[in-house]
Amino acid sequence: MIHKSVFLTVIVLFLSGCSQNALISNKQPGFKIHNANKLKFSVPTDSGCPAHWSDNVFYIFASSEFAKRLSGPSLFNLKDDGFVKWDSDEKKSRWIEATYQDEDGTLYGWYHHEKGPVCRNRLPKYYAAPAIGQGVSHDNGATWFDMGFVIDDEPNSFNCDTLNKYFPGGSGDCSVIVDQKKEYIYFLFGTYGGDIEQQGISTARMLYNDRKQPGGKVWRWCDNGWTQPGINGRNSPIFPAVGDWHSTKPDAFWGPSVHWNTYLQSYVMILNHAIDPNFWQEGIYISFNKNLDNPAGWSEPQLLRKDGSWYPLIVGTDKKKHQTDKLAGKKARYFEQGVSLWEIEFFKPGEKIN
């Protein structure tokens, strides 16, 4: 059960050298889900599925430890292009969870990698800790060059006595989006390690102009500023965990997916909500924010759908506007783990919901 009091007030806790805060606006947009014809990716997916357009071809990546690329004339007509290739360490797991394409066609991607084994004292159980890396591609994501980790956590922040099924700590399950002015690249991601005060949905950013050399350029939100490094830094979660990820009763959001909505003129984030060490899904939630540079501006998460599957995703379908998982309008397709049975419709604050 989410403790809404966490989100209805400003919380300031001086713990581990960082404060936590969440400021909620009551002027939220509305939304409605409609049933739609089934749309399913032809390959398994266990992560976010980023998309982009190039020369009127729609590309989307679906990952289940390793990433595959799908392509076609639209979201509704895709073929499997096979596994993407990396320049080195090809067997290293990389879930490609976010992309951004420059005007010159250069494609940047951000992946979730699970480093392991960690916590060897817990063997024979295998534990891995997520980290976030960046890659670059010059052929629409068929092949990638690994640029290294940009968000990673100290091993001493791992809880090797965790009751969690998957992670003793780490940061991952990310969404990455460039702001409208192309000043910064923003990261929204799950933080699983350290004390409960470090856990939840956290944010970081990098100067847009640093995208070609990202090493050491990402800064996490902490103490009301972008003050902590992406590598081994601390966080002030924008949606703090209520129950410790490593206890019998975790209560936390994870796996954010963010897009800019042209109809609302707002960023929209959808989230998983787990209340069990096995990541049992209580529901999928939605939040809104006009400005990514204001982490406290995200609205109180509203229930979008009870239960549901992991990795919710909204994908815009207007081909003329080149909509993707990062850009959508009044209506879009809504997915859960690579399957869409619904269309989502958005309404401005005060607009009547039909």
Side-chain angles (χ1 to χ4, degrees):
M1 183 71 179
I2 292 180
H3 296 228
K4 289 192 176 181
S5 60
V6 171
F7 303 115
L8 293 173
T9 58
V10 178
I11 301 172
V12 182
L13 302 172
F14 292 95
L15 294 161
S16 303
C18 291
S19 63
Q20 284 187 344
N21 63 81
L23 180 62
I24 299 310
S25 167
N26 292 321
K27 298 179 180 179
Q28 295 192 29
F31 55 90
K32 186 176 181 180
I33 290 183
H34 309 277
N35 291 331
N37 293 334
K38 185 176 181 179
L39 180 60
K40 181 180 180 180
F41 298 145
S42 60
V43 300
T45 181
D46 187 34
S47 75
C49 295
H52 72 281
W53 285 92
S54 181
D55 295 327
N56 289 319
V57 177
F58 183 83
Y59 296 94
I60 193 163
F61 298 90
S63 304
S64 184
E65 187 173 4
F66 306 105
K68 280 191 166 187
R69 190 186 72 175
L70 307 175
S71 67
S74 74
L75 173 66
F76 302 94
N77 187 3
L78 298 170
K79 63 179 178 64
D80 179 1
D81 294 333
F83 288 105
V84 307
K85 299 183 183 303
W86 290 84
D87 61 303
S88 61
D89 197 12
E90 195 167 317
K91 293 184 179 180
K92 176 181 177 181
S93 62
R94 297 178 183 90
W95 289 258
I96 298 177
E97 297 197 309
T99 56
Y100 169 75
Q101 189 170 47
D102 271 345
E103 292 180 359
D104 66 2
T106 301
L107 184 67
Y108 296 93
W110 292 272
Y111 62 84
H112 166 114
H113 170 64
E114 297 179 3
K115 300 166 66 176
V118 299
C119 294
R120 291 178 180 272
N121 63 311
R122 289 291 302 272
L123 294 176
K125 182 170 178 59
Y126 179 97
Y127 273 109
I132 299 168
Q134 180 172 321
V136 64
S137 173
H138 300 285
D139 57 7
N140 285 304
T143 58
W144 292 86
F145 174 79
D146 194 336
M147 305 174 81
F149 294 123
V150 294
I151 296 177
D152 196 4
D153 291 351
E154 288 268 17
N156 63 14
S157 69
F158 302 160
N159 183 342
C160 291
D161 294 318
T162 185
L163 299 177
N164 194 279
K165 180 179 179 180
Y166 297 106
F167 303 143
S171 295
D173 294 309
C174 65
S175 184
V176 183
I177 190 163
V178 176
D179 67 19
Q180 295 298 295
K181 296 180 180 179
K182 293 187 178 180
E183 293 179 338
Y184 289 96
I185 298 172
Y186 285 85
F187 299 75
L188 288 301
F189 54 98
T191 46
Y192 302 105
D195 296 332
I196 187 173
E197 292 79 19
Q198 295 290 303
Q199 300 169 21
I201 298 295
S202 296
T203 186
R205 74 181 186 183
M206 172 176 67
L207 283 169
Y208 178 80
N209 289 338
D210 286 335
R211 66 196 183 282
K212 296 180 180 180
Q213 293 182 315
K217 305 295 179 59
V218 173
W219 290 89
R220 306 187 193 215
W221 177 257
C222 187
D223 257 354
N224 295 314
W226 308 97
T227 60
Q228 287 289 312
I231 304 297
N232 299 336
R234 301 186 306 277
N235 316 282
S236 292
I238 56 176
F239 294 135
V242 175
D244 194 317
W245 269 116
H246 307 291
S247 70
T248 58
K249 294 182 179 180
D251 185 342
F253 291 115
W254 68 281
S257 178
V258 181
H259 80 270
W260 172 252
N261 192 281
T262 56
Y263 181 72
L264 300 176
Q265 290 293 292
S266 174
Y267 294 96
V268 179
M269 172 165 43
I270 48 178
L271 305 139
N272 301 290
H273 177 234
I275 56 171
D276 180 89
N278 294 328
F279 281 60
W280 185 83
Q281 185 94 329
E282 180 272 338
I284 294 167
Y285 285 72
I286 190 167
S287 176
F288 305 92
N289 191 357
K290 293 286 187 181
N291 299 299
L292 293 170
D293 63 355
N294 179 20
W298 288 100
S299 63
E300 177 189 356
Q302 304 174 65
L303 182 66
L304 189 153
R305 215 171 83 82
K306 185 70 175 173
D307 300 322
S309 299
W310 292 352
Y311 299 108
L313 181 72
I314 291 171
V315 182
T317 58
D318 191 328
K319 182 176 181 178
K320 292 181 180 179
K321 296 180 179 179
H322 283 180
Q323 292 181 347
T324 63
D325 66 306
K326 295 170 280 294
L327 183 69
K330 182 171 177 58
K331 293 183 179 181
R333 287 301 294 244
Y334 170 70
F335 288 81
E336 293 176 5
Q337 208 157 12
V339 179
S340 174
L341 302 174
W342 315 271
E343 181 182 69
I344 187 167
E345 183 176 4
F346 293 100
F347 300 85
K348 296 175 182 178
E351 184 178 359
K352 184 178 179 180
I353 299 178
N354 299 322

